[in-house]
Structure formats: C-alpha cells, structure tokens
Amino acid sequence: MAAATRCAPAPAASPRPRSRHRLRCRCCEDTLGVPRRRAQASSGAREQEQQQQQHYFPELRPLLYPAPPPRPRRIVLVRHGQSEGNVDEGAYTRVPDPLIGLTPKGQRQAEDCGRRLHRLLSSGHGDDEEEDGDDDWKVYFYVSPYRRTLETLRGVGRAFDARRIAGVREEPRIREQDFGNFQDREKMRVEKEIRRRYGRFFYRFPDGESAADVYDRITGFRETLRADIDIGRFQPPSPPGAPPAPEMNLVLVSHGLTLRVFLMRWYKWTVRQFEGLANLDNGGTLVMQTGEGGRYSLLVHHTVDELREFGLTDEMIDDQMWQRTARPGELNYNFITNGPSFFTHFS
C-alpha cells in the first residue's frame, strides 16, 4: 500500500525589512523657528520637478523653499490685576471662579501695566502715538477666558492704538488652576494646608486640578504657540519688494501659577525648581526676549537680582545666560538635563 501523501509545508514568509528611517524627537525652543523638512514624494518626482523649476526659473526658489517667518521679539507674561478674590477669599463661595472680576485697584494696575508695556515695546523705535510714527512694531495677545484676565486685557489695551494690535486669541488652556467649582472657605483653608505638606506641584484639589495637571494642558498650548510662530500667524505675508515685516511681540495675559508652569515647561525646569518660584505681583510682567542668537532669555530684559527674587537658582540663571547668546536648534549640554544634578554619588 502506498504511503500516505504528505502536503509540502508552505515556505516561511520572509520577514519584513525594518525601516532604517528613525524619528528624531526634539522639543520646545530647540526647534522653534528652525525650518522643517518637507516630506519626500514616494517616487521623488516632486523633488525632481522642483529642482527643474529652480534651474529654469530661479525666481521661484523663495516660493518653493520659503524662509521661516521672523520670530516675535518678545514673549511677555502678564498676571491679571488685583481681583475680588485676592482681597476677599469668601468671594469664591458666592461667585464662580471664572466670573471673579477686578477691583478698582486691579483696573488701575492693568492700565499701568499697559503703559509700561507700550514704553517697552516702542523703545528704540522713536514711537509717538501723538504723531504718525513708523509702523514697525505690533503686539498680539493671548488671554485666559476668565473675567479678571479679560478685564486686565482691556485695561492693558487702552495704552495701544488700534494699528499696533495685530490680534487677540482667547485661549482656555492658559486659564487659572481649577480649585473645584464653588469653594467652601474653611474646607479650602484645610486643603491648602494639606497641599503645603503634600507638595505644591502634585497636590490635586478635590474636583479640581494639581499644578501637574496645569502642566499637561500648558504643554498642549506650548505646541500651539510654537506652531503659530513657525507658520507666521501673527504677520500677513508680504509681497515681493515690500518693507520688512513689523517687529512682533506676544503678550500672555494669564494667572500666577499658570505663568510659572509656562516658564517651567518652556525652560524645562524641574519640579523642585518650580516650587521655589514666586508669583508675579498683580499686574506684574516677566519678559522673555530674543538674545544675540535668537533664543528667548529672561536675562535680556531682567537683571540677575530680579530673577533671584522671582526664585531662580544659580543654575537656572547660568542657563539663562546661555540662552541669551545661543541660537535656535542648539542645546545646553551643561544644564540639568545632562544628568549629574540628579545623582548624589558624584563628587
């Protein structure tokens, strides 16, 4: 009897070749303003077509590979003026936090802040609102949707002529830390004492947020801000031969803790460094300004003593000195992310 016929085993499928393309992740300021590579067409036809166009029509090169738009000169952080909740914590038991408004003093602080900002932004331009000055600087606002920040924005805006304001965007992600709807005064006193013992960054208020939660939404806002800068949202495109685009300045009108978290996210500060920072005064400002290389540094406008009073350590100040001369795309390998400051066994 013939042996039973066996089916030949199917050939093993050859493993799929691994792609050699690797993703490079860079964050925040390190790529802000650095031109991004365009995705290559599958057949390379688009790249070849562009090269041919450059050969026969060199005047098309600025359109095919446009230079990145100029970076805003400054990013100015503004804390709202004195609010009803700053002088009476009982207000939070009666009024929703987003509806807490400014006091008369807070309104004056907002208007004073606007005048200081105008002097800062117009410095070096010889600007005089009484005359038709050169239209070479503008300001674009991001504002928290809370009543006290919107009222602060209106007070600040009184110092600016309409032609100086490039635009305004209401941005919910830069709102105040959520403390949990209507607040019970005695319960909140207890919660804040627990927060002091637990740690200001990680303690989450019941039905509310921790500073770590604020960090998460500020990270999303930071990516939006970076994209807005990269695509030139603040300045309409100029036709060929037009004068240079006006100097742009961004102003964030927000809240004390939110602005500290924004700085922590931008400069990659640690939790311990964040917890050593102080709030800005009501109506106070902090200026991030481009240095010699194009990165934003707090030391271009502020002094070392001012930053120490705000809570920066010597290590953070050294990094700000580096930021003052470094270029976008460069990395500070001597800052905390290099590693040694996290370990205790190095002498």
Side-chain angles (χ1 to χ4, degrees), residues 93-162:
T93 67
R94 305 182 303 271
V95 183
D97 195 0
L99 299 183
I100 295 287
L102 295 182
T103 64
K105 179 179 179 180
Q107 187 62 49
R108 294 192 299 271
Q109 289 173 331
E111 294 177 7
D112 288 343
C113 177
R115 288 187 286 268
R116 294 197 311 272
L117 277 179
H118 187 279
R119 287 195 297 270
L120 169 65
L121 305 187
S122 62
S123 61
H125 294 279
D127 182 64
D128 186 351
E129 294 294 355
E130 299 292 331
E131 304 174 359
D132 291 330
D134 294 334
D135 201 16
D136 55 1
W137 66 269
K138 290 181 181 291
V139 58
Y140 190 103
F141 294 95
Y142 289 86
V143 61
S144 159
Y146 278 33
R147 178 182 169 187
R148 54 188 177 273
T149 41
L150 292 171
E151 290 179 349
T152 299
L153 173 70
R154 296 186 185 103
V156 168
R158 291 180 181 277
F160 296 91
D161 187 87

Coordinates of all heavy atoms in Angstrom, one line a residue, residues 93-162:
T93 N -16.9 81.6 47.4 CA -18.0 80.8 47.9 C -19.3 81.3 47.3 O -20.3 80.6 47.3 CB -18.1 80.9 49.4 OG1 -18.5 82.3 49.8 CG2 -16.8 80.6 50.1
R94 N -19.3 82.5 46.7 CA -20.5 83.1 46.1 C -20.5 83.2 44.6 O -21.6 83.2 44.0 CB -20.7 84.5 46.7 CG -20.8 84.6 48.2 CD -21.0 86.0 48.7 NE -20.1 87.0 48.2 CZ -18.9 87.3 48.8 NH1 -18.6 86.6 50.0 NH2 -18.1 88.2 48.3
V95 N -19.3 83.4 44.1 CA -19.2 83.7 42.6 C -18.3 82.6 42.0 O -17.2 82.2 42.6 CB -18.5 85.1 42.4 CG1 -18.4 85.4 40.9 CG2 -19.3 86.1 43.2
P96 N -18.7 82.1 40.9 CA -17.8 81.1 40.2 C -16.4 81.7 39.9 O -16.4 82.9 39.5 CB -18.6 80.8 38.9 CG -20.0 81.1 39.2 CD -19.9 82.3 40.1
D97 N -15.4 81.0 40.0 CA -14.0 81.5 39.8 C -13.9 82.2 38.5 O -13.3 83.2 38.4 CB -13.0 80.3 39.9 CG -11.6 80.8 40.1 OD1 -11.4 82.0 40.1 OD2 -10.7 79.9 40.2
P98 N -14.4 81.6 37.4 CA -14.2 82.3 36.1 C -14.9 83.7 36.0 O -14.6 84.5 35.1 CB -14.9 81.3 35.1 CG -14.8 80.0 35.7 CD -15.0 80.3 37.2
L99 N -15.8 84.0 37.0 CA -16.6 85.2 36.9 C -16.1 86.2 38.0 O -16.6 87.3 38.1 CB -18.1 85.0 37.1 CG -18.8 84.1 36.1 CD1 -20.2 84.0 36.4 CD2 -18.5 84.6 34.7
I100 N -15.0 85.9 38.6 CA -14.4 86.9 39.6 C -13.7 88.0 38.8 O -12.9 87.8 37.9 CB -13.3 86.2 40.5 CG1 -14.0 85.1 41.4 CG2 -12.5 87.2 41.3 CD1 -14.8 85.7 42.5
G101 N -14.1 89.2 39.1 CA -13.6 90.4 38.4 C -12.5 91.1 39.1 O -12.1 90.8 40.2
L102 N -12.1 92.2 38.5 CA -11.1 93.1 39.1 C -11.7 94.1 40.1 O -12.8 94.5 39.9 CB -10.3 93.9 38.0 CG -9.5 93.1 37.0 CD1 -8.8 94.1 36.0 CD2 -8.5 92.2 37.6
T103 N -10.9 94.5 41.0 CA -11.2 95.6 41.9 C -10.8 96.9 41.2 O -10.1 96.9 40.2 CB -10.4 95.5 43.2 OG1 -9.0 95.6 43.0 CG2 -10.7 94.1 43.9
P104 N -11.3 98.0 41.7 CA -10.8 99.3 41.1 C -9.3 99.4 41.1 O -8.7 99.9 40.1 CB -11.5 100.3 42.0 CG -12.7 99.7 42.5 CD -12.3 98.2 42.7
K105 N -8.6 98.9 42.2 CA -7.2 98.9 42.2 C -6.6 98.0 41.1 O -5.7 98.4 40.4 CB -6.6 98.5 43.5 CG -5.1 98.4 43.6 CD -4.7 98.0 45.0 CE -3.1 97.9 45.1 NZ -2.7 97.5 46.4
G106 N -7.3 96.9 40.9 CA -6.8 96.0 39.8 C -7.0 96.6 38.5 O -6.1 96.4 37.6
Q107 N -8.0 97.4 38.3 CA -8.2 98.0 37.0 C -7.1 99.1 36.7 O -6.5 99.2 35.6 CB -9.6 98.7 36.9 CG -9.9 99.3 35.6 CD -10.0 98.3 34.5 OE1 -10.7 97.3 34.7 NE2 -9.3 98.5 33.4
R108 N -6.7 99.8 37.8 CA -5.6 100.8 37.7 C -4.3 100.0 37.4 O -3.5 100.5 36.6 CB -5.5 101.6 38.9 CG -6.7 102.5 39.2 CD -6.4 103.6 40.3 NE -6.1 102.9 41.5 CZ -7.0 102.6 42.4 NH1 -8.3 102.9 42.2 NH2 -6.7 102.1 43.6
Q109 N -4.1 98.9 38.0 CA -2.9 98.1 37.8 C -2.8 97.6 36.3 O -1.7 97.6 35.7 CB -2.8 96.9 38.7 CG -2.6 97.2 40.2 CD -2.7 96.0 41.1 OE1 -3.5 95.1 40.8 NE2 -2.0 96.0 42.2
A110 N -4.0 97.2 35.8 CA -4.0 96.8 34.4 C -3.6 97.9 33.4 O -2.8 97.8 32.5 CB -5.3 96.2 34.0
E111 N -4.1 99.1 33.7 CA -3.8 100.3 32.8 C -2.4 100.7 33.0 O -1.7 101.1 32.0 CB -4.8 101.4 33.2 CG -6.2 101.1 32.8 CD -7.2 102.2 33.2 OE1 -6.7 103.3 33.6 OE2 -8.4 102.0 33.0
D112 N -1.9 100.7 34.2 CA -0.4 101.0 34.4 C 0.4 99.9 33.7 O 1.5 100.3 33.1 CB -0.1 100.9 35.9 CG -0.7 102.1 36.7 OD1 -1.1 103.1 36.0 OD2 -0.8 102.0 37.9
C113 N 0.0 98.7 33.7 CA 0.8 97.6 33.0 C 0.8 97.9 31.5 O 1.8 97.8 30.9 CB 0.2 96.3 33.3 SG 0.9 94.9 32.4
G114 N -0.3 98.4 31.0 CA -0.4 98.7 29.6 C 0.6 99.8 29.2 O 1.3 99.7 28.2
R115 N 0.7 100.8 30.0 CA 1.6 101.9 29.7 C 3.0 101.5 29.8 O 3.9 101.9 29.0 CB 1.3 103.1 30.7 CG 0.0 103.8 30.4 CD -0.1 105.1 31.3 NE -0.4 104.7 32.7 CZ -1.7 104.7 33.1 NH1 -2.7 104.9 32.3 NH2 -1.9 104.4 34.4
R116 N 3.4 100.6 30.8 CA 4.7 100.1 30.9 C 5.1 99.2 29.6 O 6.2 99.3 29.1 CB 4.9 99.2 32.1 CG 4.8 100.0 33.4 CD 5.4 99.2 34.6 NE 4.9 97.9 34.7 CZ 3.8 97.5 35.3 NH1 3.0 98.4 35.9 NH2 3.5 96.2 35.3
L117 N 4.1 98.4 29.2 CA 4.3 97.6 28.0 C 4.5 98.5 26.8 O 5.4 98.2 26.0 CB 3.1 96.7 27.8 CG 3.1 95.4 28.6 CD1 1.8 94.6 28.3 CD2 4.3 94.5 28.3
H118 N 3.7 99.5 26.7 CA 3.9 100.4 25.5 C 5.3 101.0 25.5 O 5.9 101.1 24.4 CB 2.8 101.5 25.5 CG 2.8 102.3 24.2 ND1 3.7 103.3 24.0 CD2 2.1 102.2 23.1 CE1 3.5 103.9 22.9 NE2 2.5 103.2 22.3
R119 N 5.8 101.4 26.6 CA 7.1 102.0 26.7 C 8.2 101.0 26.3 O 9.1 101.3 25.6 CB 7.4 102.6 28.0 CG 6.7 103.9 28.4 CD 7.2 104.6 29.6 NE 7.1 103.8 30.8 CZ 6.1 103.8 31.6 NH1 5.1 104.6 31.3 NH2 6.1 103.1 32.7
L120 N 8.0 99.8 26.8 CA 8.9 98.7 26.5 C 8.9 98.4 25.0 O 10.0 98.3 24.3 CB 8.6 97.4 27.3 CG 9.3 96.1 26.9 CD1 10.8 96.3 27.1 CD2 8.7 94.9 27.6
L121 N 7.8 98.2 24.4 CA 7.7 97.7 23.0 C 8.1 98.8 22.0 O 8.6 98.5 20.9 CB 6.3 97.2 22.7 CG 5.7 96.1 23.6 CD1 4.4 95.6 23.1 CD2 6.7 95.0 23.8
S122 N 7.9 100.1 22.4 CA 8.2 101.1 21.5 C 9.6 101.7 21.7 O 10.1 102.5 20.9 CB 7.2 102.3 21.7 OG 7.3 102.8 23.0
S123 N 10.3 101.1 22.7 CA 11.7 101.6 23.0 C 12.6 101.3 21.8 O 12.6 100.2 21.2 CB 12.3 100.9 24.2 OG 12.3 99.5 24.1
G124 N 13.4 102.3 21.4 CA 14.3 102.1 20.2 C 13.6 102.4 18.9 O 14.3 102.4 17.8
H125 N 12.3 102.7 18.9 CA 11.6 103.0 17.6 C 11.2 104.4 17.5 O 10.7 104.8 16.4 CB 10.3 102.1 17.6 CG 10.6 100.7 17.5 ND1 10.9 100.0 16.3 CD2 10.5 99.7 18.4 CE1 11.1 98.7 16.5 NE2 10.9 98.5 17.8
G126 N 11.4 105.2 18.5 CA 11.1 106.6 18.4 C 9.6 106.8 18.2 O 9.2 107.7 17.5
D127 N 8.8 106.0 18.8 CA 7.4 106.0 18.5 C 6.7 107.0 19.4 O 7.0 107.2 20.5 CB 6.8 104.6 18.8 CG 5.3 104.6 18.5 OD1 4.9 104.7 17.3 OD2 4.5 104.4 19.5
D128 N 5.7 107.7 18.8 CA 4.9 108.7 19.5 C 3.5 108.6 19.0 O 3.2 108.9 17.8 CB 5.5 110.1 19.3 CG 4.7 111.2 20.1 OD1 3.7 110.8 20.7 OD2 5.2 112.3 20.1
E129 N 2.6 108.2 19.8 CA 1.2 108.0 19.3 C 0.5 109.3 19.0 O -0.5 109.3 18.3 CB 0.4 107.2 20.4 CG 0.8 105.8 20.7 CD 0.6 104.9 19.6 OE1 0.1 105.3 18.5 OE2 1.1 103.7 19.7
E130 N 1.1 110.4 19.4 CA 0.5 111.7 19.0 C 0.8 112.0 17.5 O 0.1 112.8 16.9 CB 1.2 112.8 19.8 CG 0.9 112.7 21.4 CD -0.5 112.9 21.7 OE1 -1.2 113.6 21.0 OE2 -1.0 112.3 22.7
E131 N 1.8 111.3 16.9 CA 2.1 111.5 15.5 C 2.0 110.2 14.8 O 1.8 109.2 15.4 CB 3.6 112.1 15.4 CG 3.8 113.4 16.2 CD 5.2 113.9 16.2 OE1 6.0 113.1 15.6 OE2 5.5 114.9 16.7
D132 N 2.2 110.3 13.5 CA 2.2 109.0 12.7 C 3.6 108.5 12.7 O 4.4 108.7 11.8 CB 1.8 109.3 11.3 CG 0.3 109.7 11.2 OD1 -0.4 109.2 12.1 OD2 -0.1 110.5 10.3
G133 N 3.9 107.6 13.7 CA 5.3 107.0 13.7 C 5.4 105.9 12.8 O 4.5 105.5 12.1
D134 N 6.6 105.4 12.6 CA 6.8 104.2 11.7 C 6.1 103.0 12.2 O 6.1 102.7 13.4 CB 8.3 103.9 11.6 CG 9.1 105.0 11.0 OD1 8.5 105.8 10.2 OD2 10.3 105.2 11.3
D135 N 5.4 102.3 11.3 CA 4.6 101.2 11.7 C 5.5 100.0 11.7 O 5.3 99.0 10.9 CB 3.4 101.0 10.7 CG 2.3 100.2 11.3 OD1 2.3 100.1 12.5 OD2 1.5 99.8 10.5
D136 N 6.4 99.9 12.7 CA 7.4 98.9 12.6 C 7.4 98.0 13.9 O 8.3 97.2 14.1 CB 8.8 99.5 12.5 CG 9.1 100.5 13.6 OD1 8.2 100.7 14.4 OD2 10.2 101.1 13.6
W137 N 6.3 98.0 14.7 CA 6.2 97.1 15.7 C 4.7 96.9 16.0 O 3.9 97.8 15.9 CB 6.9 97.5 17.0 CG 6.4 98.7 17.7 CD1 6.8 100.0 17.5 CD2 5.3 98.8 18.7 NE1 6.1 100.9 18.2 CE2 5.2 100.2 19.0 CE3 4.6 97.9 19.3 CZ2 4.3 100.6 20.0 CZ3 3.6 98.3 20.3 CH2 3.5 99.7 20.6
K138 N 4.3 95.7 16.5 CA 3.0 95.3 16.8 C 2.9 94.4 18.0 O 4.0 93.8 18.4 CB 2.2 94.7 15.6 CG 2.0 95.7 14.4 CD 1.2 95.0 13.3 CE 1.0 95.9 12.2 NZ 0.0 97.0 12.5
V139 N 1.7 94.1 18.5 CA 1.6 93.2 19.6 C 0.4 92.3 19.4 O -0.6 92.7 18.8 CB 1.4 94.0 20.9 CG1 0.2 94.9 20.9 CG2 1.3 93.1 22.1
Y140 N 0.5 91.0 19.8 CA -0.5 90.0 19.6 C -0.7 89.4 21.0 O 0.2 89.0 21.7 CB -0.1 88.9 18.6 CG -1.1 88.0 18.2 CD1 -1.8 88.1 17.0 CD2 -1.5 86.9 19.0 CE1 -2.7 87.2 16.6 CE2 -2.5 86.0 18.7 CZ -3.1 86.2 17.4 OH -4.1 85.3 17.0
F141 N -2.0 89.3 21.4 CA -2.4 88.9 22.8 C -3.0 87.5 22.8 O -3.8 87.2 21.9 CB -3.4 89.9 23.4 CG -2.9 91.3 23.6 CD1 -3.1 92.3 22.7 CD2 -2.2 91.6 24.8 CE1 -2.7 93.6 22.9 CE2 -1.8 92.8 25.1 CZ -2.0 93.9 24.1
Y142 N -2.6 86.7 23.8 CA -3.3 85.5 24.2 C -3.8 85.8 25.6 O -3.1 86.3 26.4 CB -2.3 84.3 24.2 CG -1.8 83.8 22.9 CD1 -0.7 84.4 22.3 CD2 -2.5 82.7 22.2 CE1 -0.3 83.9 21.1 CE2 -2.0 82.3 21.0 CZ -0.9 82.9 20.4 OH -0.5 82.4 19.2
V143 N -5.1 85.4 25.8 CA -5.7 85.8 27.1 C -6.5 84.6 27.6 O -7.2 83.9 26.8 CB -6.6 87.0 26.9 CG1 -7.7 86.8 25.9 CG2 -7.1 87.5 28.3
S144 N -6.5 84.4 28.9 CA -7.3 83.4 29.6 C -8.8 83.9 29.5 O -9.0 85.1 29.6 CB -6.9 83.3 31.0 OG -7.9 82.8 31.9
P145 N -9.8 83.0 29.4 CA -11.2 83.5 29.3 C -11.8 83.9 30.6 O -13.0 84.2 30.6 CB -11.9 82.2 28.7 CG -11.0 81.1 29.2 CD -9.6 81.6 29.2
Y146 N -11.1 83.9 31.7 CA -11.7 84.3 33.0 C -11.9 85.8 32.9 O -11.2 86.6 32.3 CB -10.7 84.0 34.1 CG -10.8 82.5 34.6 CD1 -11.1 81.5 33.7 CD2 -10.6 82.2 35.9 CE1 -11.2 80.2 34.1 CE2 -10.7 80.9 36.3 CZ -11.0 79.9 35.4 OH -11.1 78.6 35.8
R147 N -12.9 86.2 33.7 CA -13.3 87.7 33.7 C -12.2 88.6 34.1 O -12.0 89.6 33.5 CB -14.5 87.8 34.6 CG -15.0 89.3 34.7 CD -16.2 89.4 35.7 NE -16.4 90.8 36.0 CZ -17.3 91.3 36.9 NH1 -18.0 90.4 37.6 NH2 -17.5 92.6 37.1
R148 N -11.4 88.2 35.1 CA -10.4 89.1 35.6 C -9.2 89.3 34.6 O -8.6 90.3 34.5 CB -9.8 88.6 36.9 CG -9.4 87.2 37.0 CD -9.0 86.8 38.4 NE -8.6 85.4 38.7 CZ -9.5 84.4 38.9 NH1 -10.8 84.7 38.8 NH2 -9.0 83.2 39.1
T149 N -9.0 88.2 33.8 CA -7.9 88.4 32.8 C -8.5 89.2 31.6 O -7.7 89.9 31.0 CB -7.4 87.0 32.3 OG1 -8.5 86.1 32.2 CG2 -6.4 86.4 33.3
L150 N -9.7 89.0 31.2 CA -10.3 89.7 30.1 C -10.4 91.2 30.5 O -10.1 92.1 29.6 CB -11.7 89.2 29.8 CG -11.7 87.8 29.1 CD1 -13.2 87.3 29.0 CD2 -11.1 87.8 27.7
E151 N -10.7 91.5 31.7 CA -10.7 92.9 32.2 C -9.3 93.5 32.2 O -9.1 94.7 31.9 CB -11.4 93.0 33.5 CG -12.9 92.8 33.5 CD -13.6 92.8 34.9 OE1 -12.8 92.9 35.9 OE2 -14.8 92.9 34.9
T152 N -8.4 92.7 32.6 CA -7.0 93.1 32.5 C -6.5 93.4 31.1 O -5.9 94.4 30.8 CB -6.0 92.0 33.1 OG1 -6.4 91.8 34.5 CG2 -4.6 92.5 33.1
L153 N -6.9 92.5 30.2 CA -6.6 92.8 28.8 C -7.1 94.1 28.3 O -6.4 94.9 27.6 CB -7.1 91.6 27.9 CG -7.0 91.8 26.4 CD1 -5.6 91.7 25.9 CD2 -7.9 90.8 25.7
R154 N -8.4 94.4 28.6 CA -9.0 95.7 28.2 C -8.3 96.8 28.8 O -8.1 97.9 28.2 CB -10.5 95.7 28.5 CG -11.3 94.6 27.8 CD -12.7 94.7 28.1 NE -13.4 93.6 27.4 CZ -13.9 92.5 28.1 NH1 -13.8 92.5 29.4 NH2 -14.5 91.6 27.5
G155 N -7.8 96.7 30.1 CA -7.1 97.8 30.7 C -5.7 98.0 30.1 O -5.3 99.1 29.8
V156 N -5.0 96.9 29.8 CA -3.7 97.0 29.1 C -3.9 97.6 27.7 O -3.1 98.4 27.3 CB -3.1 95.5 29.0 CG1 -1.9 95.5 28.0 CG2 -2.7 95.1 30.4
G157 N -5.0 97.2 27.0 CA -5.2 97.6 25.6 C -5.4 99.1 25.5 O -5.3 99.6 24.4
R158 N -5.8 99.8 26.6 CA -6.0 101.2 26.5 C -4.8 102.0 26.1 O -4.9 103.1 25.6 CB -6.6 101.7 27.8 CG -8.0 101.3 28.1 CD -8.5 101.8 29.5 NE -9.8 101.4 29.8 CZ -10.9 102.0 29.4 NH1 -10.9 103.0 28.6 NH2 -12.1 101.5 29.8
A159 N -3.6 101.4 26.3 CA -2.4 102.1 26.0 C -2.0 102.0 24.6 O -1.0 102.6 24.1 CB -1.2 101.5 26.9
F160 N -2.7 101.2 23.8 CA -2.3 100.9 22.4 C -3.3 101.4 21.4 O -4.5 101.2 21.5 CB -2.1 99.4 22.2 CG -1.0 98.8 23.1 CD1 -1.3 98.3 24.3 CD2 0.3 98.7 22.6 CE1 -0.3 97.7 25.1 CE2 1.3 98.2 23.4 CZ 1.0 97.7 24.6
D161 N -2.7 102.0 20.4 CA -3.5 102.4 19.2 C -3.9 101.1 18.5 O -3.2 100.1 18.5 CB -2.7 103.3 18.3 CG -3.5 103.9 17.2 OD1 -4.2 104.9 17.4 OD2 -3.5 103.3 16.1
A162 N -5.1 101.2 17.8 CA -5.6 100.0 17.1 C -4.6 99.4 16.1 O -4.5 98.2 15.9 CB -6.9 100.3 16.3

